[in-house]
Amino acid sequence: MNRVHLKTYGCQMNERDSEAVAALLRARGYRMVDDEADCDVLLLNTCSVRDLAEQKALSQAGRSLAAKRRNPRFILGVLGCMAQNRGAALLDALPDIDLIVGTQKFHQVPDYLDNLRAARAAGVVTPTNIVDIAEEPGSQNAIRDHVLADRPVSAFVSIQQGCNMDCSFCIVPKTRGDERSRPMDEIVRECEELADRGVVEVTLLGQIVTSYGRRDYAHAGGISPFVQLLERIDAIPGLKRIRFTAPHPRGFKRDLIEAYGRLGKLCEHVHLPLQSGSDRILRAMNRPYTRDRYRQIVADLRAVRPDIYFSTDVIVGFPGETEDDFAQTRELFVECNYDMAYVFKYSIRSGTPAATLPDQVPDAVKEERNQVLLRLLEENSNRRNALLLGGVQEVLVEGPDKKGRMFMGRTRGNRVVHFAASERLIGQLVPVRITRASTAVLYGELELAEVSNEK
């Protein structure tokens, strides 16, 4: 009765948290299974950024309760942001949930499962569910263990958790707590160990990753702690690429912008959340930058790296957003020429300042504005991808694609490429000539004979 299926909702931070939990469970003797139908323990690592994400997890939990009726020893647990946000109130809707664990208690999951399984094996009827959403100092340091593939290529590395920004639409400060950074030496050691295990690309993760260490380390020669960390990771032998997410525009000072021109392993892709192109809406969102400042950051990055790629987050239909406000967002969206964007219709999150603002935008208007930006994004992506046709891109081979017919990898600009290759190239950087492009995917052929389809 030790087979665990762990289903993850939401962002890359959640994926990293789930991986760390899985590593801890494996070390404790649990067996991770890919198929929910094969498990004795189902853990849902949840997201609360949007109401839809919570509803999906709640629906999954409701459906999974049927397994408990068939098997009284079956254990259902809810982890992560929704657990932190709702806590014991989840039991009002789903009283048969066995385990509710918040974002600062992931490392306690193996102990809690051991206790629940021991009670069931002994035939003890547990009188209460386990609910733990308390804060725990130092919990950010517990997200350090990895479950790697036989031939690992890339890995997420958590460097910072929590957020002090208090954007009026965002529930993350409630679900993730205050800003907390891991020690720099520990992060570098983790990256060195990953490189020793064959990982060639790391993605640094944090709620506001560019705020890393600002209360723990001094600026040195005008270099922020985050850029100091990038410098140290850039020097690790074996690692070939560095990415990070999610930053805040406020973090893009001159030292970080210049890092794109001098750190060879730092990939020329930036996820730079816009949220709105209207200064009035940005103020209402409590976002401490203006459209002009955002525009300048994009221009400065392109001056340092003309071939840089941008992705972003945009919220449409924020309370009080007028047609003029949206027109400003649309204008800046076109000007920045994004390669990828996550466009969200504003969703009321209980407990956030924006939830009680007047002038809530009708759903039909949100949908219309959402579709306008998605159409612009498609045009941008098609245009940008077309520029790559006939050219050669450096691609990190990640493995077979989902259909198993070709292999796939990513360019330094984070574009997905599919091409014919052999398994021996997994983890290698190879030149691929781009021959075809869709909105989201590139297709190509290996350029050099020595990295062709030889087995």
Side-chain angles (χ1 to χ4, degrees), residues 18-74:
S18 290
E19 184 194 16
V21 170
L24 292 171
L25 290 172
R26 283 185 173 183
R28 191 68 65 88
Y30 288 87
R31 183 157 62 95
M32 307 305 296
V33 297
D34 294 329
D35 192 337
E36 179 187 338
D38 295 333
C39 74
D40 311 301
V41 179
L42 176 62
L43 301 177
L44 307 178
N45 189 10
T46 58
C47 174
S48 279
V49 171
R50 301 176 68 201
D51 181 64
L52 180 60
E54 286 200 355
Q55 295 307 317
K56 285 183 178 179
L58 286 170
S59 295
Q60 174 67 61
R63 291 192 300 271
S64 301
L65 291 177
K68 289 182 66 66
R69 290 191 289 270
R70 294 191 302 269
N71 177 6
R73 292 189 180 185
F74 184 86

Side-chain angles (χ1 to χ4, degrees), residues 201-248:
E201 177 185 86
V202 294
T203 300
L204 309 182
L205 300 178
Q207 265 74 47
I208 304 291
V209 70
T210 45
S211 294
Y212 170 78
R214 62 177 180 165
R215 294 183 295 182
D216 306 303
Y217 299 96
H219 279 56
I223 305 298
S224 67
F226 180 62
V227 176
Q228 293 173 42
L229 176 62
L230 291 176
E231 291 173 337
R232 291 186 61 180
I233 296 174
D234 188 75
I236 295 174
L239 287 182
K240 298 176 181 177
R241 288 183 175 181
I242 304 170
R243 303 185 190 275
F244 62 84
T245 197
H248 191 287

